[in-house]
Amino acid sequence: MVHAANLGYPRIGANRELKKLVEGYWAGKVSAAQLESGAHALRVANWRAQAAAGIDVIPSNDFAYYDQVLGLAVTFDVVPDLYRTAIPDPLDRYFAMGRGRQDRAKGIDVPAMEMKKWFDTNYHYIVPRFAPTTEFALATADQEVKPIREFLEAQAAGIHTRPVLLGPVSFLLLGRADKGAPADFSPLDLLDRLLPVYQSLLVRLRAAGATEIQLDEPALVLDLPPTVVPTALTRAYAALTKGPKIMVATYFGGIEHHLSAIVKLPIHALHIDLVRAPEQLAAVVNAVRPTRLHLSLGLIDGRNVWRTDLTRAIESVTFAMTALGADRVLIAPSCSLLHAPVNLAPEFAKTAPLAALPDVREWLAFADEKLREVALVAKYADAKARGETIAADVAKALAENQAAIAARRASPRLHNAAVHERVANLKDADFVRAVPFVQRYAAQQAHLHLPAFPTTTVGSFPQTKEVRSIRAQLKKSAITEAQYWAFVNAETEKCVRFQEEVGLDVLVHGEFERNDMVEYFGENLDGYAFTANAWVQSYGTRCVKPPIIFGDVARPKPMTVDMIMRAQGFTKKPLKGMLTGPITMLQWSFVRDDQPRRDTAYQLALAIRDEVVDLEKAGIRVIQIDEPAIREGLPLRRGDWALYLDWAVKSFRLATSGVRSETQIHSHMCYSDFADIFDAIAKLDVDVLSVEAAKSDLKLLAAFAAKDAYPNCLGPGLYDIHSPRVPSVAELRDRAGDFLARLPAARLWVNPDCGLKTRGWTEVRAALSNLVAIARELRAAHPEIVIAETPTTVAVTAAKPVAVETVVPAAATAHSA
């Protein structure tokens, strides 16, 4: 029999129930018992939804309050002493590891642990810390061990599940050596110490009734040192033979380079991603055929929203079944559906944005729809294997699928001849600024008169409940657009006055009119669609609603000019125009899959370039184009890096090279390992680059300092905005000292490490006041850096808007945090 399987399900709930529960707990409005009761109900609903979709193999332990990697670290008692000592309650300790905690009344002040992108996705995981002294342990009671407890929960609900764990090799490889560990220490050195604990957990799962377990080893798609495969991998799985049958799940790429070792492992099944790496199918099937391994085919895209071409999927299944037999084949999504919205149902409401694009909506499949695709392919393949007639409902569904696929391919919505012509006519000069940085920066200073160690923020300011409420009221037509914009203007003015009062040098407008840094722009570009409820988890309780790029991208009219000009009118200090860069727009959208991503990136870059030019024409002299996702888009195999980096860098430069020398271009990047792409970052030719540095023990800055070649200005994040704690002046002083020890003082800016959208005004005021105090200390300590001779001002007489019509967002949708 061909089985339909799933690797993981969205944990947040169809209406973000988990977010509301967890944030209610943080606010003291939900008790620990209520949190667990609500989470239990959500888990049961998720299991039942998968069963209702026709899935035979349903995962458990894919749930997490904050992050699955953090959850596994806690399960194995990998808890740094700082948290163990400060916070006795296990649940509060878990959250403190993820987001930090500050309670001065109780003497608690711990930072959040490092956060990093999960491979090349926009999901962030908490990075486990390992030291040579790290020991691993499990709780003695089954109910205290999360994977066992949740397996038993599912059993009690009448659903037999396949528990999911991050595999031992990937768990160690995705962690990092603790700050004080010896230079030659690798977390993988702990493998032999870790394996008995894994084995104990697997044995206890088997005793609880588990017949199979899924061990995720996504690291196997990477280029790994020769000591990892086959040595460590073989040793690891040889030690895990006493528990349930094991399926090793790989995803986000191909495994041909490690295949000979993988097929020799003493495991029951292997999962491969045939969406990201369809070319590996023949090699894997041929390698698996002489063994007893079952093969799970990841044929349904777990990371995008398009319907699957089921005819092509069936061709792959047929190939595998012919070689292996139907009983050795499973059908599954390519990876966990954590990265997909829950279901399409809300998009059929009359007020949903996609109601205006019913044809586009027919091209889509979210998590629940993808599971039905999995089940449909499995039913079809099983009937074929048995020589049975295809059931009428299966045949009808397949016909509907092919009609939708054909309609999408033939749709005139996809193509814009003018956009294609513009991309085809690009010249080398379109990708470079005409004047070198040193000369540009001098021209910028002559205009901006910034002091040494200029202070700024990354962009957004707190999106309070009032802001979210007003946006929701507009969405429901409970207020007029005039009332909405009057409120936004008032909030913007308060924000600008606040920044002046705190003493920042380069201001921002706060982004109160923006739901999300990508969705907002998607709403104002041709070729984009947006949704009512297509939320996905980014980190912790932070959820985003990515827009959908379905066709050629163009900017019909300016998107931000009017709002920025209004904000600039409130101050004589320079105010940044805030835009999202082309690669981040690409990475944080659901992207069309019918043309190369490079082509879509160039289209986005041209749209952003038009906005940059219009901002400059309106008198704005500081423009920030954020690219936090540029490292995220890097292919997982090194051999593919050069091609990606070439068009990614060109896309950013295309977006930014249309302005004069005196216009200062900023960008922002965060939560990635940038050392590998340092040269590409330098090639972006950003005048001022702000980067995350507060959570990574200065690893990122080491790359910039070691090269001693970053030619432009740098603003390392002075404190972590993803934590509610307020850093003290002493803490910031120490971190600033670390920066100065590594970076040229004359090119150093002072800023937080990311936007302030998720924070509260009280903590923002305290943190920014401390940040400004540090900048003033630095200026006093370094009088040799003389940059500005006059106060920081901008000539507002030059800030007259050009004669363009500014877009008012078509719909002010719910906030995205």
Side-chain angles (χ1 to χ4, degrees):
M1 179 179 180
V2 179
H3 288 286
N6 188 26
L7 275 63
Y9 191 78
R11 60 179 71 120
I12 60 174
N15 295 298
R16 294 178 293 158
E17 293 89 344
L18 182 60
K19 170 187 175 67
K20 296 163 188 174
L21 279 168
V22 171
E23 291 183 355
Y25 177 75
W26 293 343
K29 298 176 181 178
V30 171
S31 68
Q34 290 170 323
L35 173 63
E36 178 51 32
S37 174
H40 168 74
L42 183 57
R43 289 191 291 267
V44 171
N46 290 348
W47 291 322
R48 288 177 174 163
Q50 294 171 80
I55 300 301
D56 306 310
V57 183
I58 296 171
S60 61
N61 197 47
D62 52 342
F63 177 88
Y65 280 133
Y66 201 91
D67 166 55
Q68 72 271 13
V69 182
L70 173 61
L72 187 60
V74 170
T75 295
F76 290 148
D77 201 31
V78 184
V79 178
D81 289 341
L82 173 66
Y83 303 93
R84 195 187 305 275
T85 302
I87 304 174
D89 180 78
L91 181 60
D92 290 341
R93 185 190 306 138
Y94 166 91
F95 284 130
M97 292 169 70
R99 65 192 294 262
R101 184 170 177 187
Q102 189 172 57
D103 187 337
R104 299 195 187 282
K106 295 181 179 180
I108 297 173
D109 188 4
V110 295
M113 290 177 63
E114 181 182 355
M115 189 163 63
K116 185 177 174 182
K117 294 292 180 70
W118 178 249
F119 294 83
D120 57 353
T121 76
N122 189 32
Y123 178 79
H124 305 62
Y125 75 97
I126 301 300
V127 182
R129 299 181 193 171
F130 300 110
T133 56
T134 297
E135 299 288 343
F136 304 95
L138 282 174
T140 55
D142 284 353
Q143 286 298 326
E144 296 177 1
V145 180
K146 180 179 177 295
I148 302 174
R149 181 177 68 247
E150 292 182 10
F151 172 80
L152 293 172
E153 273 185 17
Q155 290 284 84
I159 298 174
H160 184 76
T161 60
R162 179 173 67 188
V164 180
L165 294 170
L166 185 60
V169 174
S170 292
F171 177 56
L172 291 174
L173 288 175
L174 292 171
R176 70 166 178 85
D178 212 357
K179 189 175 182 180
D184 61 349
F185 170 73
S186 166
L188 206 59
D189 296 343
L190 301 172
L191 182 61
D192 290 335
R193 197 179 301 169
L194 173 65
L195 290 174
V197 185
Y198 259 95
Q199 175 73 299
S200 175
L201 175 55
L202 267 58
V203 168
R204 289 169 65 177
L205 279 166
R206 182 176 181 177
T211 54
E212 185 176 8
I213 191 165
Q214 174 184 320
L215 293 183
D216 286 0
E217 293 284 8
L220 293 178
V221 307
L222 304 174
D223 297 308
L224 297 174
T227 54
V228 175
V229 178
T231 309
L233 185 71
T234 300
R235 191 164 78 249
Y237 282 84
L240 302 180
T241 57
K242 296 181 180 179
K245 295 182 295 184
I246 293 174
M247 184 190 81
V248 167
T250 65
Y251 40 81
F252 302 155
I255 57 170
E256 302 97 316
H257 52 311
H258 299 314
L259 188 54
S260 60
I262 293 171
V263 296
K264 295 175 185 176
L265 299 176
I267 60 177
H268 171 68
L270 172 67
H271 173 84
I272 57 173
D273 185 337
L274 294 174
V275 175
R276 296 294 294 274
E279 69 282 351
Q280 70 177 320
L281 177 60
V284 174
V285 166
N286 287 335
V288 164
R289 180 162 30 196
T291 73
R292 295 182 179 181
L293 280 176
H294 290 221
L295 189 60
S296 173
L297 306 177
L299 293 165
I300 310 301
D301 194 344
R303 290 179 54 175
N304 214 329
V305 294
W306 307 108
R307 278 195 179 196
T308 304
D309 184 339
L310 296 183
T311 296
R312 290 187 179 180
I314 287 168
E315 290 173 358
S316 297
V317 177
T318 302
F319 175 81
M321 287 197 310
T322 301
L324 305 177
D327 290 343
R328 291 175 62 188
V329 173
L330 296 90
I331 314 301
S334 60
C335 61
S336 170
L337 295 174
L338 168 71
H339 311 286
V342 177
N343 62 60
L344 266 173
E347 312 311 325
F348 285 86
K350 291 181 180 180
T351 56
L354 282 175
L357 296 169
D359 50 346
V360 174
R361 186 177 58 201
E362 290 302 311
W363 305 341
L364 304 178
F366 294 174
D368 286 346
E369 290 76 31
K370 289 177 183 296
L371 292 179
R372 288 196 285 273
E373 289 182 330
V374 168
L376 188 64
V377 172
K379 287 179 182 178
Y380 179 93
D382 193 57
K384 279 291 187 181
R386 295 173 183 273
E388 298 173 354
T389 302
I390 304 301
D393 61 329
V394 173
K396 179 182 177 183
L398 286 172
E400 290 174 349
N401 171 268
Q402 289 305 289
I405 297 297
R408 181 183 171 204
R409 288 173 182 158
S411 175
R413 289 190 186 276
L414 302 183
H415 306 294
N416 182 324
V419 171
H420 282 268
E421 181 179 3
R422 193 176 177 194
V423 171
N425 289 333
L426 288 172
K427 299 176 178 60
D428 290 345
D430 295 320
F431 296 94
V432 294
R433 294 188 77 177
V435 175
F437 165 74
V438 173
Q439 297 174 38
R440 293 200 311 264
Y441 201 60
Q444 292 158 16
Q445 285 301 106
H447 178 80
L448 297 171
H449 304 294
L450 297 172
F453 305 103
T455 57
T456 189
T457 64
V458 172
S460 58
F461 268 76
Q463 296 263 322
T464 62
K465 288 183 179 179
E466 185 181 15
V467 172
R468 300 195 299 269
S469 173
I470 289 291
R471 192 176 293 140
Q473 289 178 54
L474 176 65
K475 184 179 177 182
K476 297 174 182 177
S477 299
I479 60 173
T480 65
E481 284 204 357
Q483 290 173 309
Y484 171 77
W485 285 105
F487 171 82
V488 168
N489 290 339
E491 290 296 300
T492 301
E493 182 173 7
K494 285 191 288 186
C495 181
V496 171
R497 304 292 185 214
F498 167 83
Q499 293 170 80
E500 288 186 318
E501 179 187 344
V502 169
L504 293 170
D505 300 308
V506 178
L507 314 187
V508 297
H509 77 290
E511 304 182 13
F512 302 104
E513 82 285 10
R514 302 185 187 183
N515 40 26
D516 175 78
M517 66 181 290
V518 173
E519 185 181 8
Y520 176 81
F521 292 98
E523 291 172 349
N524 292 289
L525 292 170
D526 291 341
Y528 262 98
F530 51 103
T531 63
N533 207 50
W535 298 99
V536 294
Q537 185 181 18
S538 178
Y539 66 86
T541 61
R542 163 77 165 158
C543 300
V544 294
K545 187 151 56 73
I548 299 168
I549 304 176
F550 66 86
D552 291 332
V553 176
R555 187 196 73 145
K557 58 185 72 173
M559 302 178 283
T560 67
V561 176
D562 184 62
M563 189 71 242
I564 299 300
M565 291 309 303
R566 274 181 267 169
Q568 182 66 83
F570 297 136
T571 182
K572 292 185 177 181
K573 288 191 171 186
L575 187 139
K576 290 191 284 191
M578 298 298 303
L579 306 173
T580 303
I583 301 304
T584 300
M585 290 291 295
L586 184 81
Q587 287 294 124
W588 293 359
S589 300
F590 292 121
V591 184
R592 60 189 296 189
D593 56 1
D594 62 330
Q595 72 175 14
R597 292 173 72 86
R598 177 202 60 197
D599 294 356
T600 304
Y602 282 177
Q603 293 176 5
L604 286 161
L606 286 170
I608 296 161
R609 180 188 180 96
D610 292 343
E611 190 73 13
V612 170
V613 169
D614 279 346
L615 283 167
E616 183 186 64
K617 289 179 180 177
I620 299 299
R621 288 294 177 264
V622 184
I623 303 172
Q624 182 169 312
I625 302 98
D626 287 344
E627 282 291 22
I630 196 163
R631 173 59 176 82
E632 173 189 313
L634 191 70
L636 298 178
R637 300 292 304 279
R638 287 181 178 267
D640 301 323
W641 285 10
L643 180 62
Y644 163 77
L645 290 173
D646 178 69
W647 60 258
V649 169
K650 285 181 177 177
S651 296
F652 183 85
R653 291 172 66 142
L654 178 60
T656 57
S657 63
V659 294
R660 297 190 296 272
S661 297
E662 58 266 35
T663 296
Q664 188 172 86
I665 298 295
H666 289 228
S667 189
H668 169 66
M669 299 178 183
C670 59
Y671 301 112
S672 295
D673 289 332
F674 292 113
D676 291 331
I677 63 166
F678 177 88
D679 292 339
I681 292 174
K683 289 178 182 177
L684 296 176
D685 198 21
V686 179
D687 295 318
V688 181
L689 176 65
S690 61
V691 292
E692 179 273 325
K695 295 183 74 168
S696 57
D697 288 339
L698 303 174
K699 283 193 309 180
L700 185 148
L701 289 191
F704 286 83
K707 295 279 186 177
D708 195 28
Y710 189 71
N712 303 1
C713 291
L714 192 68
L718 198 59
Y719 73 93
D720 172 26
I721 66 87
H722 294 86
S723 170
R725 64 184 295 274
V726 175
S728 67
V729 170
E731 179 181 333
L732 297 184
R733 184 180 297 119
D734 288 344
R735 185 164 291 123
D738 288 333
F739 294 169
L740 283 172
R742 292 165 170 80
L743 301 168
R747 299 203 301 268
L748 191 65
W749 280 58
V750 180
N751 47 259
D753 68 357
C754 206
L756 302 168
K757 178 178 182 176
T758 60
R759 302 275 54 92
W761 278 105
T762 300
E763 65 199 65
V764 164
R765 175 180 290 276
L768 289 183
S769 295
N770 292 349
L771 179 145
V772 169
I774 291 301
R776 290 171 177 163
E777 285 187 10
L778 292 174
R779 290 167 196 158
H782 294 271
E784 74 279 6
I785 305 175
V786 179
I787 296 180
E789 297 181 357
T790 59
T792 303
T793 61
V794 62
V796 293
T797 55
K800 184 178 180 180
V802 294
V804 292
E805 180 183 358
T806 302
V807 165
V808 172
T813 56
H815 80 116
S816 58

